[in-house]
Amino acid sequence: MAEISKETADIRQLGIDPHRWYVVARSGEVKARPVGVVLWDQPIVLFRDGGGKINALEDRCPHRQVKLSHGSAIADSLECVYHGWRFDRDGNCVFIPYLQDNQKLPDCQIKTYPVRESDGLIWLFPGEKEPAVEPMAIPEWEHLNYIATVSTIRVRSHYSFLVENLMDMYHGHLHRDWQAWTDAKLENIVETGDRVDAHYNAQSYYKIDKIWSISQLFFPALRRLHPEPLTVSYIYPHWVSTLGKDFKIYCLICPVSLTETRAYLIHFTSLHAFRRLHKLPIPFRRFVKNRLFGSAQKLLDGLVEQDVKMIEEEQQAYQKNPGRRGWELNPAIAAVRRSIRNHGFSA
């Protein structure tokens, strides 16, 4: 990958920085059978060895170039469905069922990837160097005071369109029937290293400890607004948002290609306001946390559906006329574009 001019780069043509960790799947998506994923045009197969540990190899059998993800995980190796060749977690060919006594196993090692499993997610490092950074921490995943909901975003667009959508809180107009806040106003932007923080002030009408307040989402006439700080942060290559003390959202981005992006949106609702709950036994609190997992699914999926439609239209408009200038008034978008250019490589 060749680095290009940061000042003149068309961000819709920029590839990813390979020296970062990307989420390529949820833990529950990789069970007994191998799973094929794609990260920036790199086909990768994920599989669990005999101990349940996750492994990642290039999704290609060097024999006939078919996908290893069509095969099976056998003990600590991955077997190709075509001829039964097996490869260990280091990418070495370790078995061929019809190998003759006078033949040796071929030296046809396939590429391996550093991979980690944490917070219910599978993280992969596509770079050639040893990882110098850590995957993004998500402490709320295990914390008993947070209830999680996960939605997968699949959008036919360059990843930069999704990032801009996430950083631009002025598009709340689109979600007025789905989200618990309105009327965002940008207060300031802070750019430091790999990070862009945009601080908004919003008007919320939802109180976590007032169950009845959810009705305001469906009946606008009942809404009683109160101010809440709203912060959205692009911490390359991922995104985090907080609304007051009650809500936190992560968007973990997996760019598939120039025109396709997958992402995992994780919404956390805090239970900090329920003081009595904190005094109950930990097993019961864990039961409550697990039982309420996905409680905001319909809400989150509704937001995603609306955003995907708009983002795909942006991509289509760009492809039809790449040189057409779009008028942009939100300085948070300019800051995000600078960050993408600073990390981008030619596709």
Side-chain angles (χ1 to χ4, degrees):
M1 295 184 182
E3 191 170 4
I4 62 177
S5 170
K6 294 179 172 59
E7 290 76 19
T8 60
D10 179 353
I11 63 171
R12 317 305 181 195
Q13 296 295 319
L14 288 182
I16 62 173
D17 182 347
H19 306 122
R20 295 288 188 273
W21 289 90
Y22 297 85
V23 173
V24 291
R26 294 173 63 180
S27 293
E29 293 174 323
V30 186
K31 297 178 181 178
R33 296 194 61 81
V35 173
V37 297
V38 179
L39 173 60
W40 203 251
D41 292 322
Q42 299 179 60
I44 298 163
V45 58
L46 307 172
F47 74 99
R48 295 189 184 277
D49 58 28
K53 183 180 178 182
I54 201 74
N55 299 273
L57 302 175
E58 180 184 0
D59 195 4
R60 177 187 64 87
C61 178
H63 177 214
R64 294 289 180 88
Q65 314 304 315
V66 300
K67 292 185 177 182
L68 286 172
S69 55
H70 296 323
S72 304
I74 299 178
D76 291 338
S77 64
L78 187 58
E79 182 181 81
C80 180
V81 70
Y82 201 179
H83 292 84
W85 290 32
R86 294 183 191 173
F87 300 86
D88 65 14
R89 59 191 130 197
D90 296 319
N92 300 305
C93 181
V94 293
F95 176 75
I96 297 175
Y98 51 86
L99 191 72
Q100 301 297 314
D101 291 340
N102 62 347
Q103 293 178 311
K104 294 182 179 180
L105 288 170
D107 182 14
C108 54
Q109 186 180 47
I110 54 177
K111 184 176 181 179
T112 63
Y113 296 87
V115 64
R116 295 188 191 177
E117 187 171 13
S118 64
D119 303 321
L121 302 165
I122 297 172
W123 299 79
L124 186 139
F125 186 88
E128 299 295 336
K129 303 176 183 177
E130 286 296 317
V133 295
E134 293 294 319
M136 176 177 282
I138 308 177
E140 297 83 4
W141 186 261
E142 294 292 340
H143 199 295
L144 294 178
N145 280 357
Y146 289 89
I147 306 302
T149 299
V150 183
S151 185
T152 303
I153 301 173
R154 295 180 178 86
V155 58
R156 290 168 293 186
S157 81
H158 188 267
Y159 68 90
S160 62
F161 285 115
L162 174 58
V163 175
E164 291 180 13
N165 169 275
L166 293 165
M167 291 297 290
D168 181 14
M169 293 297 98
Y170 291 142
H171 82 277
H173 179 77
L174 174 68
H175 302 313
R176 58 189 178 275
D177 295 327
W178 286 99
Q179 66 186 17
W181 57 266
T182 186
D183 196 25
K185 291 181 172 59
L186 183 63
E187 299 292 326
N188 62 74
I189 301 169
V190 179
E191 298 179 61
T192 54
D194 292 344
R195 183 171 185 140
V196 176
D197 295 289
H199 300 281
Y200 293 84
N201 190 49
Q203 297 294 318
S204 179
Y205 47 84
Y206 183 68
K207 290 183 178 293
I208 188 67
D209 57 340
K210 307 294 183 183
I211 301 301
W212 57 265
S213 72
I214 190 65
S215 63
Q216 299 178 81
L217 184 62
F218 308 104
F219 302 102
L222 299 178
R223 294 177 181 177
R224 300 294 181 266
L225 299 175
H226 64 275
E228 290 281 14
L230 172 61
T231 299
V232 291
S233 303
Y234 183 46
I235 308 170
Y236 190 94
H238 307 297
W239 175 89
V240 183
S241 170
T242 58
L243 175 66
K245 297 180 179 179
D246 293 333
F247 303 105
K248 188 164 186 177
I249 307 177
Y250 294 81
C251 190
L252 308 169
I253 299 172
C254 176
V256 176
S257 69
L258 269 177
T259 58
E260 185 178 355
T261 303
R262 188 173 66 257
Y264 296 88
L265 195 66
I266 309 177
H267 179 283
F268 290 102
T269 301
S270 171
L271 300 179
H272 75 279
F274 297 93
R275 304 297 181 188
R276 293 181 181 179
L277 181 63
H278 303 171
K279 299 177 182 180
L280 296 175
I282 288 179
F284 178 77
R285 293 174 62 191
R286 187 168 298 281
F287 169 79
V288 171
K289 177 183 175 72
N290 293 339
R291 185 68 176 173
L292 294 178
F293 181 89
S295 55
Q297 198 70 60
K298 183 176 181 180
L299 179 68
L300 203 60
D301 289 347
L303 292 167
V304 167
E305 183 179 356
Q306 289 180 330
D307 279 335
V308 165
K309 182 179 180 181
M310 295 295 100
I311 294 169
E312 289 185 346
E313 285 193 13
E314 288 187 87
Q315 175 70 40
Q316 292 161 12
Y318 167 76
Q319 289 181 243
K320 187 175 181 179
N321 194 335
R324 178 174 289 168
R325 176 187 175 188
W327 292 95
E328 183 54 65
L329 301 179
N330 187 350
I333 304 306
V336 163
R337 289 173 179 172
R338 282 193 291 271
S339 179
I340 292 174
R341 286 192 177 95
N342 284 338
H343 293 91
F345 291 80
S346 59

